[in-house]
PDB file of all heavy atoms in Angstrom:
ATOM      1  N   LEU A  13      -9.850  14.456  -4.337  1.00  0.00           N
ATOM      2  CA  LEU A  13     -10.338  14.365  -2.893  1.00  0.00           C
ATOM      3  C   LEU A  13     -10.878  15.705  -2.416  1.00  0.00           C
ATOM      4  O   LEU A  13     -11.631  15.767  -1.466  1.00  0.00           O
ATOM      5  CB  LEU A  13      -9.152  13.871  -2.054  1.00  0.00           C
ATOM      6  CG  LEU A  13      -8.784  12.437  -2.146  1.00  0.00           C
ATOM      7  CD1 LEU A  13      -7.474  12.205  -1.451  1.00  0.00           C
ATOM      8  CD2 LEU A  13      -9.930  11.518  -1.690  1.00  0.00           C
ATOM      9  N   PHE A  14     -10.608  16.806  -3.157  1.00  0.00           N
ATOM     10  CA  PHE A  14     -11.039  18.086  -2.722  1.00  0.00           C
ATOM     11  C   PHE A  14     -11.832  18.845  -3.817  1.00  0.00           C
ATOM     12  O   PHE A  14     -12.087  19.984  -3.691  1.00  0.00           O
ATOM     13  CB  PHE A  14      -9.821  19.049  -2.329  1.00  0.00           C
ATOM     14  CG  PHE A  14      -8.979  18.471  -1.072  1.00  0.00           C
ATOM     15  CD1 PHE A  14      -7.812  17.892  -1.333  1.00  0.00           C
ATOM     16  CD2 PHE A  14      -9.598  18.456   0.085  1.00  0.00           C
ATOM     17  CE1 PHE A  14      -7.089  17.308  -0.296  1.00  0.00           C
ATOM     18  CE2 PHE A  14      -8.898  17.883   1.142  1.00  0.00           C
ATOM     19  CZ  PHE A  14      -7.597  17.358   0.973  1.00  0.00           C
ATOM     20  N   THR A  15     -12.222  18.120  -4.826  1.00  0.00           N
ATOM     21  CA  THR A  15     -13.067  18.661  -5.824  1.00  0.00           C
ATOM     22  C   THR A  15     -14.519  18.191  -5.680  1.00  0.00           C
ATOM     23  O   THR A  15     -14.833  16.986  -5.682  1.00  0.00           O
ATOM     24  CB  THR A  15     -12.571  18.167  -7.271  1.00  0.00           C
ATOM     25  OG1 THR A  15     -11.284  18.648  -7.545  1.00  0.00           O
ATOM     26  CG2 THR A  15     -13.519  18.700  -8.431  1.00  0.00           C
ATOM     27  N   ARG A  16     -15.286  19.137  -5.380  1.00  0.00           N
ATOM     28  CA  ARG A  16     -16.709  18.860  -5.013  1.00  0.00           C
ATOM     29  C   ARG A  16     -17.579  18.400  -6.250  1.00  0.00           C
ATOM     30  O   ARG A  16     -17.117  18.413  -7.405  1.00  0.00           O
ATOM     31  CB  ARG A  16     -17.341  20.121  -4.363  1.00  0.00           C
ATOM     32  CG  ARG A  16     -16.525  20.582  -3.257  1.00  0.00           C
ATOM     33  CD  ARG A  16     -17.147  21.679  -2.435  1.00  0.00           C
ATOM     34  NE  ARG A  16     -18.272  21.087  -1.624  1.00  0.00           N
ATOM     35  CZ  ARG A  16     -18.066  20.330  -0.555  1.00  0.00           C
ATOM     36  NH1 ARG A  16     -16.795  20.081  -0.086  1.00  0.00           N
ATOM     37  NH2 ARG A  16     -19.072  19.895   0.160  1.00  0.00           N
ATOM     38  N   MET A  22     -12.091  22.922  -3.363  1.00  0.00           N
ATOM     39  CA  MET A  22     -12.219  23.741  -2.094  1.00  0.00           C
ATOM     40  C   MET A  22     -11.431  22.858  -1.051  1.00  0.00           C
ATOM     41  O   MET A  22     -11.842  21.778  -0.765  1.00  0.00           O
ATOM     42  CB  MET A  22     -13.555  23.894  -1.708  1.00  0.00           C
ATOM     43  CG  MET A  22     -13.597  24.862  -0.352  1.00  0.00           C
ATOM     44  SD  MET A  22     -15.303  25.419  -0.021  1.00  0.00           S
ATOM     45  CE  MET A  22     -15.600  26.616  -1.345  1.00  0.00           C
ATOM     46  N   PHE A  23     -10.497  23.543  -0.416  1.00  0.00           N
ATOM     47  CA  PHE A  23      -9.794  22.875   0.728  1.00  0.00           C
ATOM     48  C   PHE A  23      -9.673  23.725   1.853  1.00  0.00           C
ATOM     49  O   PHE A  23      -9.593  25.059   1.676  1.00  0.00           O
ATOM     50  CB  PHE A  23      -8.253  22.605   0.262  1.00  0.00           C
ATOM     51  CG  PHE A  23      -7.331  22.364   1.379  1.00  0.00           C
ATOM     52  CD1 PHE A  23      -7.028  21.132   1.829  1.00  0.00           C
ATOM     53  CD2 PHE A  23      -6.711  23.446   2.021  1.00  0.00           C
ATOM     54  CE1 PHE A  23      -6.156  20.850   2.913  1.00  0.00           C
ATOM     55  CE2 PHE A  23      -5.820  23.215   3.155  1.00  0.00           C
ATOM     56  CZ  PHE A  23      -5.549  21.885   3.476  1.00  0.00           C
ATOM     57  N   ALA A  24      -9.882  23.268   3.012  1.00  0.00           N
ATOM     58  CA  ALA A  24      -9.631  24.040   4.293  1.00  0.00           C
ATOM     59  C   ALA A  24      -9.143  23.055   5.351  1.00  0.00           C
ATOM     60  O   ALA A  24      -9.512  21.849   5.379  1.00  0.00           O
ATOM     61  CB  ALA A  24     -10.915  24.683   4.693  1.00  0.00           C
ATOM     62  N   ARG A  25      -8.397  23.608   6.212  1.00  0.00           N
ATOM     63  CA  ARG A  25      -7.967  22.867   7.439  1.00  0.00           C
ATOM     64  C   ARG A  25      -8.292  23.789   8.634  1.00  0.00           C
ATOM     65  O   ARG A  25      -8.670  24.887   8.528  1.00  0.00           O
ATOM     66  CB  ARG A  25      -6.503  22.589   7.425  1.00  0.00           C
ATOM     67  CG  ARG A  25      -5.570  23.814   7.621  1.00  0.00           C
ATOM     68  CD  ARG A  25      -4.115  23.477   7.414  1.00  0.00           C
ATOM     69  NE  ARG A  25      -3.214  24.518   7.936  1.00  0.00           N
ATOM     70  CZ  ARG A  25      -1.889  24.768   7.572  1.00  0.00           C
ATOM     71  NH1 ARG A  25      -1.445  23.964   6.646  1.00  0.00           N
ATOM     72  NH2 ARG A  25      -1.336  25.777   8.031  1.00  0.00           N
ATOM     73  N   TRP A  26      -8.180  23.175   9.841  1.00  0.00           N
ATOM     74  CA  TRP A  26      -8.516  23.878  11.050  1.00  0.00           C
ATOM     75  C   TRP A  26      -7.404  24.986  11.285  1.00  0.00           C
ATOM     76  O   TRP A  26      -6.262  24.832  11.027  1.00  0.00           O
ATOM     77  CB  TRP A  26      -8.422  22.941  12.326  1.00  0.00           C
ATOM     78  CG  TRP A  26      -9.681  22.150  12.394  1.00  0.00           C
ATOM     79  CD1 TRP A  26      -9.946  20.974  11.707  1.00  0.00           C
ATOM     80  CD2 TRP A  26     -10.745  22.377  13.222  1.00  0.00           C
ATOM     81  NE1 TRP A  26     -11.154  20.485  12.019  1.00  0.00           N
ATOM     82  CE2 TRP A  26     -11.771  21.305  13.068  1.00  0.00           C
ATOM     83  CE3 TRP A  26     -11.179  23.377  14.144  1.00  0.00           C
ATOM     84  CZ2 TRP A  26     -12.987  21.205  13.662  1.00  0.00           C
ATOM     85  CZ3 TRP A  26     -12.381  23.270  14.792  1.00  0.00           C
ATOM     86  CH2 TRP A  26     -13.300  22.255  14.548  1.00  0.00           C
ATOM     87  N   ARG A 111     -22.202  16.255   8.450  1.00  0.00           N
ATOM     88  CA  ARG A 111     -21.255  17.185   9.008  1.00  0.00           C
ATOM     89  C   ARG A 111     -21.459  18.571   8.508  1.00  0.00           C
ATOM     90  O   ARG A 111     -21.704  18.720   7.366  1.00  0.00           O
ATOM     91  CB  ARG A 111     -19.805  16.648   8.606  1.00  0.00           C
ATOM     92  CG  ARG A 111     -19.358  15.446   9.452  1.00  0.00           C
ATOM     93  CD  ARG A 111     -18.026  14.837   8.846  1.00  0.00           C
ATOM     94  NE  ARG A 111     -18.180  14.326   7.501  1.00  0.00           N
ATOM     95  CZ  ARG A 111     -18.658  13.070   7.324  1.00  0.00           C
ATOM     96  NH1 ARG A 111     -18.931  12.267   8.335  1.00  0.00           N
ATOM     97  NH2 ARG A 111     -18.804  12.628   6.066  1.00  0.00           N
ATOM     98  N   ILE A 112     -21.254  19.505   9.350  1.00  0.00           N
ATOM     99  CA  ILE A 112     -21.258  20.948   9.138  1.00  0.00           C
ATOM    100  C   ILE A 112     -20.055  21.605   9.568  1.00  0.00           C
ATOM    101  O   ILE A 112     -19.566  21.277  10.592  1.00  0.00           O
ATOM    102  CB  ILE A 112     -22.552  21.602   9.902  1.00  0.00           C
ATOM    103  CG1 ILE A 112     -23.871  20.956   9.383  1.00  0.00           C
ATOM    104  CG2 ILE A 112     -22.530  23.076   9.590  1.00  0.00           C
ATOM    105  CD1 ILE A 112     -25.011  21.474  10.235  1.00  0.00           C
ATOM    106  N   PHE A 113     -19.533  22.445   8.709  1.00  0.00           N
ATOM    107  CA  PHE A 113     -18.319  23.186   9.000  1.00  0.00           C
ATOM    108  C   PHE A 113     -18.661  24.670   9.044  1.00  0.00           C
ATOM    109  O   PHE A 113     -19.468  25.186   8.255  1.00  0.00           O
ATOM    110  CB  PHE A 113     -17.232  22.897   7.922  1.00  0.00           C
ATOM    111  CG  PHE A 113     -16.682  21.534   7.971  1.00  0.00           C
ATOM    112  CD1 PHE A 113     -17.350  20.579   7.189  1.00  0.00           C
ATOM    113  CD2 PHE A 113     -15.619  21.238   8.680  1.00  0.00           C
ATOM    114  CE1 PHE A 113     -16.789  19.260   7.168  1.00  0.00           C
ATOM    115  CE2 PHE A 113     -15.161  19.950   8.774  1.00  0.00           C
ATOM    116  CZ  PHE A 113     -15.678  18.999   7.918  1.00  0.00           C
ATOM    117  N   ARG A 114     -17.929  25.434   9.939  1.00  0.00           N
ATOM    118  CA  ARG A 114     -17.965  26.892   9.974  1.00  0.00           C
ATOM    119  C   ARG A 114     -16.521  27.425   9.731  1.00  0.00           C
ATOM    120  O   ARG A 114     -15.550  26.671  10.110  1.00  0.00           O
ATOM    121  CB  ARG A 114     -18.453  27.360  11.293  1.00  0.00           C
ATOM    122  CG  ARG A 114     -19.922  26.971  11.607  1.00  0.00           C
ATOM    123  CD  ARG A 114     -20.865  27.867  10.768  1.00  0.00           C
ATOM    124  NE  ARG A 114     -22.314  27.481  11.112  1.00  0.00           N
ATOM    125  CZ  ARG A 114     -23.024  26.732  10.400  1.00  0.00           C
ATOM    126  NH1 ARG A 114     -22.619  26.128   9.307  1.00  0.00           N
ATOM    127  NH2 ARG A 114     -24.289  26.469  10.789  1.00  0.00           N
ATOM    128  N   PHE A 115     -16.478  28.548   9.184  1.00  0.00           N
ATOM    129  CA  PHE A 115     -15.027  29.035   8.638  1.00  0.00           C
ATOM    130  C   PHE A 115     -14.865  30.427   9.280  1.00  0.00           C
ATOM    131  O   PHE A 115     -15.777  31.152   9.408  1.00  0.00           O
ATOM    132  CB  PHE A 115     -14.967  28.984   7.214  1.00  0.00           C
ATOM    133  CG  PHE A 115     -15.288  27.626   6.603  1.00  0.00           C
ATOM    134  CD1 PHE A 115     -16.694  27.384   6.188  1.00  0.00           C
ATOM    135  CD2 PHE A 115     -14.326  26.657   6.452  1.00  0.00           C
ATOM    136  CE1 PHE A 115     -16.846  26.092   5.613  1.00  0.00           C
ATOM    137  CE2 PHE A 115     -14.630  25.401   5.968  1.00  0.00           C
ATOM    138  CZ  PHE A 115     -15.953  25.145   5.453  1.00  0.00           C
ATOM    139  N   GLY A 119     -10.898  31.743   5.828  1.00  0.00           N
ATOM    140  CA  GLY A 119     -11.337  30.426   5.160  1.00  0.00           C
ATOM    141  C   GLY A 119     -11.075  29.134   5.917  1.00  0.00           C
ATOM    142  O   GLY A 119     -11.377  28.115   5.516  1.00  0.00           O
ATOM    143  N   ILE A 121     -11.153  26.302   8.950  1.00  0.00           N
ATOM    144  CA  ILE A 121     -12.214  25.738   9.711  1.00  0.00           C
ATOM    145  C   ILE A 121     -12.063  26.268  11.053  1.00  0.00           C
ATOM    146  O   ILE A 121     -11.096  26.302  11.700  1.00  0.00           O
ATOM    147  CB  ILE A 121     -12.113  24.231   9.789  1.00  0.00           C
ATOM    148  CG1 ILE A 121     -12.224  23.574   8.380  1.00  0.00           C
ATOM    149  CG2 ILE A 121     -13.200  23.597  10.629  1.00  0.00           C
ATOM    150  CD1 ILE A 121     -11.881  22.095   8.334  1.00  0.00           C
ATOM    151  N   VAL A 148     -11.296  11.666  10.906  1.00  0.00           N
ATOM    152  CA  VAL A 148     -10.582  11.969   9.671  1.00  0.00           C
ATOM    153  C   VAL A 148     -11.340  12.715   8.724  1.00  0.00           C
ATOM    154  O   VAL A 148     -10.781  13.650   7.974  1.00  0.00           O
ATOM    155  CB  VAL A 148     -10.253  10.522   9.003  1.00  0.00           C
ATOM    156  CG1 VAL A 148      -9.651  10.701   7.608  1.00  0.00           C
ATOM    157  CG2 VAL A 148      -9.191   9.802   9.891  1.00  0.00           C
ATOM    158  N   GLN A 149     -12.589  12.586   8.672  1.00  0.00           N
ATOM    159  CA  GLN A 149     -13.456  13.230   7.755  1.00  0.00           C
ATOM    160  C   GLN A 149     -13.657  14.722   8.218  1.00  0.00           C
ATOM    161  O   GLN A 149     -14.407  15.568   7.520  1.00  0.00           O
ATOM    162  CB  GLN A 149     -14.764  12.552   7.439  1.00  0.00           C
ATOM    163  CG  GLN A 149     -14.512  11.298   6.640  1.00  0.00           C
ATOM    164  CD  GLN A 149     -15.787  10.530   6.319  1.00  0.00           C
ATOM    165  OE1 GLN A 149     -16.573  10.857   5.477  1.00  0.00           O
ATOM    166  NE2 GLN A 149     -16.134   9.492   7.198  1.00  0.00           N
ATOM    167  N   THR A 150     -13.242  14.975   9.384  1.00  0.00           N
ATOM    168  CA  THR A 150     -13.546  16.312  10.042  1.00  0.00           C
ATOM    169  C   THR A 150     -12.234  17.176  10.121  1.00  0.00           C
ATOM    170  O   THR A 150     -12.318  18.340  10.358  1.00  0.00           O
ATOM    171  CB  THR A 150     -14.153  16.188  11.436  1.00  0.00           C
ATOM    172  OG1 THR A 150     -15.285  15.322  11.311  1.00  0.00           O
ATOM    173  CG2 THR A 150     -14.588  17.529  12.057  1.00  0.00           C
ATOM    174  N   ILE A 151     -11.106  16.487  10.026  1.00  0.00           N
ATOM    175  CA  ILE A 151      -9.823  17.207  10.239  1.00  0.00           C
ATOM    176  C   ILE A 151      -9.522  18.087   9.058  1.00  0.00           C
ATOM    177  O   ILE A 151      -8.843  19.062   9.159  1.00  0.00           O
ATOM    178  CB  ILE A 151      -8.667  16.188  10.437  1.00  0.00           C
ATOM    179  CG1 ILE A 151      -7.392  16.922  10.989  1.00  0.00           C
ATOM    180  CG2 ILE A 151      -8.359  15.466   9.207  1.00  0.00           C
ATOM    181  CD1 ILE A 151      -7.612  17.445  12.396  1.00  0.00           C
ATOM    182  N   LEU A 152     -10.112  17.829   7.873  1.00  0.00           N
ATOM    183  CA  LEU A 152      -9.962  18.634   6.673  1.00  0.00           C
ATOM    184  C   LEU A 152     -11.392  18.769   5.977  1.00  0.00           C
ATOM    185  O   LEU A 152     -12.287  17.907   6.317  1.00  0.00           O
ATOM    186  CB  LEU A 152      -9.126  18.047   5.695  1.00  0.00           C
ATOM    187  CG  LEU A 152      -7.533  17.829   5.991  1.00  0.00           C
ATOM    188  CD1 LEU A 152      -6.870  17.040   4.986  1.00  0.00           C
ATOM    189  CD2 LEU A 152      -6.791  19.211   6.179  1.00  0.00           C
ATOM    190  N   LEU A 153     -11.529  19.811   5.179  1.00  0.00           N
ATOM    191  CA  LEU A 153     -12.686  19.945   4.397  1.00  0.00           C
ATOM    192  C   LEU A 153     -12.571  19.039   3.111  1.00  0.00           C
ATOM    193  O   LEU A 153     -11.996  19.658   2.204  1.00  0.00           O
ATOM    194  CB  LEU A 153     -13.044  21.360   4.017  1.00  0.00           C
ATOM    195  CG  LEU A 153     -14.267  21.614   3.204  1.00  0.00           C
ATOM    196  CD1 LEU A 153     -15.554  21.182   4.025  1.00  0.00           C
ATOM    197  CD2 LEU A 153     -14.388  23.062   2.710  1.00  0.00           C
ATOM    198  N   TRP A 154     -12.988  17.838   3.154  1.00  0.00           N
ATOM    199  CA  TRP A 154     -12.789  16.952   1.960  1.00  0.00           C
ATOM    200  C   TRP A 154     -13.993  17.248   0.992  1.00  0.00           C
ATOM    201  O   TRP A 154     -14.965  17.849   1.408  1.00  0.00           O
ATOM    202  CB  TRP A 154     -12.864  15.511   2.324  1.00  0.00           C
ATOM    203  CG  TRP A 154     -11.913  15.041   3.371  1.00  0.00           C
ATOM    204  CD1 TRP A 154     -12.036  14.999   4.715  1.00  0.00           C
ATOM    205  CD2 TRP A 154     -10.528  14.665   3.107  1.00  0.00           C
ATOM    206  NE1 TRP A 154     -10.970  14.619   5.324  1.00  0.00           N
ATOM    207  CE2 TRP A 154      -9.995  14.382   4.398  1.00  0.00           C
ATOM    208  CE3 TRP A 154      -9.716  14.499   2.020  1.00  0.00           C
ATOM    209  CZ2 TRP A 154      -8.699  13.890   4.560  1.00  0.00           C
ATOM    210  CZ3 TRP A 154      -8.443  13.986   2.158  1.00  0.00           C
ATOM    211  CH2 TRP A 154      -7.928  13.663   3.439  1.00  0.00           C
ATOM    212  N   SER A 155     -13.812  16.854  -0.263  1.00  0.00           N
ATOM    213  CA  SER A 155     -15.000  16.845  -1.160  1.00  0.00           C
ATOM    214  C   SER A 155     -16.180  16.086  -0.645  1.00  0.00           C
ATOM    215  O   SER A 155     -15.912  15.098   0.097  1.00  0.00           O
ATOM    216  CB  SER A 155     -14.495  16.256  -2.519  1.00  0.00           C
ATOM    217  OG  SER A 155     -15.496  15.816  -3.382  1.00  0.00           O
ATOM    218  N   ASP A 156     -17.326  16.447  -1.080  1.00  0.00           N
ATOM    219  CA  ASP A 156     -18.525  15.728  -0.726  1.00  0.00           C
ATOM    220  C   ASP A 156     -18.538  14.294  -1.261  1.00  0.00           C
ATOM    221  O   ASP A 156     -19.371  13.470  -0.900  1.00  0.00           O
ATOM    222  CB  ASP A 156     -19.774  16.485  -1.063  1.00  0.00           C
ATOM    223  CG  ASP A 156     -19.777  16.871  -2.531  1.00  0.00           C
ATOM    224  OD1 ASP A 156     -18.798  17.025  -3.129  1.00  0.00           O
ATOM    225  OD2 ASP A 156     -20.998  17.047  -2.982  1.00  0.00           O
ATOM    226  N   ALA A 158     -15.462  12.501  -1.661  1.00  0.00           N
ATOM    227  CA  ALA A 158     -14.058  12.012  -1.482  1.00  0.00           C
ATOM    228  C   ALA A 158     -13.969  10.528  -1.116  1.00  0.00           C
ATOM    229  O   ALA A 158     -13.240   9.802  -1.626  1.00  0.00           O
ATOM    230  CB  ALA A 158     -13.390  12.893  -0.392  1.00  0.00           C
ATOM    231  N   TYR A 188      -1.212  20.004   6.748  1.00  0.00           N
ATOM    232  CA  TYR A 188      -1.048  20.787   7.938  1.00  0.00           C
ATOM    233  C   TYR A 188       0.439  21.331   8.103  1.00  0.00           C
ATOM    234  O   TYR A 188       0.848  21.956   8.992  1.00  0.00           O
ATOM    235  CB  TYR A 188      -1.347  20.053   9.233  1.00  0.00           C
ATOM    236  CG  TYR A 188      -2.844  20.216   9.547  1.00  0.00           C
ATOM    237  CD1 TYR A 188      -3.719  19.247   8.906  1.00  0.00           C
ATOM    238  CD2 TYR A 188      -3.323  21.085  10.356  1.00  0.00           C
ATOM    239  CE1 TYR A 188      -5.149  19.393   9.271  1.00  0.00           C
ATOM    240  CE2 TYR A 188      -4.672  21.242  10.592  1.00  0.00           C
ATOM    241  CZ  TYR A 188      -5.630  20.355   9.991  1.00  0.00           C
ATOM    242  OH  TYR A 188      -6.987  20.427  10.281  1.00  0.00           O
ATOM    243  N   VAL A 194      -4.150  27.605   4.816  1.00  0.00           N
ATOM    244  CA  VAL A 194      -5.259  26.998   5.491  1.00  0.00           C
ATOM    245  C   VAL A 194      -6.490  26.948   4.676  1.00  0.00           C
ATOM    246  O   VAL A 194      -7.407  26.052   5.038  1.00  0.00           O
ATOM    247  CB  VAL A 194      -5.686  27.874   6.846  1.00  0.00           C
ATOM    248  CG1 VAL A 194      -4.432  28.016   7.739  1.00  0.00           C
ATOM    249  CG2 VAL A 194      -6.084  29.316   6.427  1.00  0.00           C
ATOM    250  N   PHE A 195      -6.512  27.562   3.518  1.00  0.00           N
ATOM    251  CA  PHE A 195      -7.711  27.563   2.665  1.00  0.00           C
ATOM    252  C   PHE A 195      -7.218  27.731   1.252  1.00  0.00           C
ATOM    253  O   PHE A 195      -6.332  28.465   0.897  1.00  0.00           O
ATOM    254  CB  PHE A 195      -8.625  28.646   2.941  1.00  0.00           C
ATOM    255  CG  PHE A 195      -9.728  28.926   2.083  1.00  0.00           C
ATOM    256  CD1 PHE A 195     -10.859  28.033   1.990  1.00  0.00           C
ATOM    257  CD2 PHE A 195      -9.699  29.895   1.160  1.00  0.00           C
ATOM    258  CE1 PHE A 195     -11.859  28.207   1.160  1.00  0.00           C
ATOM    259  CE2 PHE A 195     -10.896  30.132   0.212  1.00  0.00           C
ATOM    260  CZ  PHE A 195     -11.952  29.215   0.222  1.00  0.00           C
ATOM    261  N   ALA A 196      -7.794  26.973   0.283  1.00  0.00           N
ATOM    262  CA  ALA A 196      -7.433  27.038  -1.106  1.00  0.00           C
ATOM    263  C   ALA A 196      -8.575  26.694  -2.018  1.00  0.00           C
ATOM    264  O   ALA A 196      -9.427  25.813  -1.732  1.00  0.00           O
ATOM    265  CB  ALA A 196      -6.271  26.065  -1.380  1.00  0.00           C
TER     266      ALA A 196
END
Side-chain angles (χ1 to χ4, degrees):
L13 289 171
F14 299 107
T15 299
R16 309 191 69 76
M22 184 173 292
F23 163 93
R25 72 186 192 203
W26 285 81
R111 284 174 292 279
I112 298 173
F113 292 89
R114 296 284 183 263
F115 306 93
I121 299 170
V148 168
Q149 293 180 80
T150 309
I151 196 68
L152 295 172
L153 180 67
W154 305 93
S155 160
D156 53 333
Y188 275 85
V194 297
F195 172 75

